[in-house]
Amino acid sequence: MKVDKIGRLAAGALAVALVTASCSSERSGTDGVSEGSGSGGAAASSKSFGTLPSPCGPGDAKGKTDQGVTDDAITIGFGDDRGFTSAPGLSKEMGDAVAAMIDWCNQQGGINGRKIKGNQYDAAYMQTAKVVQESCKQDFMLVGQGFAMDESAEQYRVKCKLPTVAGFTVGPNAAMGPMKYEAVPYPVDLLNIGGLRLAEKLFPDFKDKTDLLLSTSPAVTTGTNKIASAMKGIGVKPMECGVRLNDKGESSYMPFAKKLKDCGVKYLWSNDSPDPGQFSLLESIERAGVDAKYVFEATWYSQAVAKWNTSGTGDDLHVGMIFQPLENADKVPAVKQYMDLVEAKDGKVALLGMQATSAFLLWAQSAQKCGSDLTRQCVINELSKVHEWTGGGLHAPTDPGNNKPASCSLMVKLNKTKYEQILPKNVGEFECGPEFVVKTDPKTWGAKLNDDRISTKFLTDDVIKPQSS
C-alpha cells in the first residue's frame, strides 16, 4: 500500500445514491441553453485547471465536421434530474458545474476557437428517455450529465450513435455501454474497496467485528451484495446480526439497535443513503449503548449529515472517498477552482459537481486534440487513449480509456458538523495499491459483457469504436 502524493504535492505545484455538500441558491429546473456569457472573475480566465493545462483557447478551427459542429460552435448536451418532484434539485450540482465550465472555457476562446453551446436537459428522473432522444437530434455529444434512470434511455443513445462522457452512470448496461466514457468510472465488473482497506488499517479487529446494515430496497441490496462478496474475498466475514431496515422507514429503530448490541458488533457498513430513518437508527444505537463505529459509503459525505450531527451522535462516522473533500480546498487548487467557478454563477457546490467538472475537462481535452477535424470518431479515439486522469487534482487517478476505477482512497471522519481527513494523515494525499480494486461476482453485474467488457444488450455493428492511429 503506497501513498500517492498527486493529490497534495502535485497539487501544490498547481461521489441510486447521490451525494451533496454545501450549496448556495437553487436555480430554475427548466431546460435551457448555455453559451457562457457570464462573468466568472479570475478563476474563469485561468489558463489551467488545477494541475491540468487548460484545453480551452482561441484557434482557427473550421468546418461542419459532424452533428452539432459548425465553423464557430460545438453543441453539447448536459443536465441532471433537478425537476424530480419527489426530490427537487436532484443532482442539480452537475448541471450547475457543466454550465460554469462552459462559461470558463468560452471566456478563453472555446475549443480551438469554436465556442461551446450547451443544451441543458432536466430529465426529472422519469424523463431520461425523452431528453436523450432530444439530444440525439441536435448534440455532438452528451457531457457531464447525471441521469438516475439512464438505463431506460440507453437503447436510444446507442441506436442514434450518441457518444457520452457521462458525469455518472447508474444502470449496468449504461455503465458498460459502447461509446461511453467517464472521468470516474464505476464498472460493474470491478470495484474500488478503498474504504474497506483503510478501515482494516485503522481498526485491527475490523475483519472479525463488522456487519452490514441490510435494506428492503432492491437498489441498496444490489450494492450490499457486491460489498459482501468483496468482503468475503479479502477475509472479512460479516457477523450477520440480521438487521434489515424497511426502505420506507420503521416505527421504532430501538429493536434493531438492541439486536446489534446483543450481537456484539463493533463496526457497521452501509450502502444506504442518509435520510431521517437512517439518522433515527444511529440515534437509537447511541441510546442503546452500542459501542460501534461506522464505515459508510461516500453518500454519507453530505452537508445534510453534517447538519444532523450537531449532538455528535455520528462522530464515529468514517467515509472512504476517491474525491478530494471540499474541506481540502485550501490544499488542493482544483477543488478551490471548482468551488469558485460554480459559486460565481450562484450554483450548487457538491461532490457530484466535481465529478461533472472532471467529465467536462476530459471531454474538452479530447476534443481539443482533434483540432479542426472535430468528429465523434476522433473524440472517441482520443478518449480511449486516456489511462490516467485526475481532473486536474479533483480525484484519485482513474483509467477512463479502459473503464477502470481508481485504485486509491482517502478516509474522512465526521466531527460534529465538520469532516476531516484522517487517512492518509497528510491532507490531500491518497493511499493507493492494487489491493484497492477487486473483481466482482458476475452474478451481481446485471449485464452481459463481450470480450471488450462492453454490454451486449443494445450493441449494434455500427457503433463508433476507437480506431488506432
Side-chain angles (χ1 to χ4, degrees), residues 295-349:
V295 183
F296 285 2
E297 287 282 0
T299 49
W300 283 77
Y301 174 76
S302 162
Q303 190 64 20
V305 177
K307 288 180 179 179
W308 159 77
N309 194 44
T310 53
S311 67
T313 297
D315 279 357
D316 282 324
L317 174 63
H318 299 73
V319 178
M321 299 172 57
I322 66 166
F323 270 84
Q324 291 287 350
L326 298 171
E327 290 79 4
N328 288 0
D330 61 336
K331 298 289 186 180
V332 185
V335 176
K336 185 176 189 305
Q337 194 167 358
Y338 155 72
M339 294 174 69
D340 288 347
L341 286 168
V342 174
E343 288 173 349
K345 292 177 68 68
D346 294 326
K348 181 179 179 181
V349 170

Side-chain angles (χ1 to χ4, degrees), residues 16 125 134 138 230 259 265 327 329 331 449:
V16 82
Y125 196 77
E134 291 176 14
Q138 58 186 345
K259 182 178 283 191
V265 70
E327 290 79 4
K331 298 289 186 180
L449 309 182

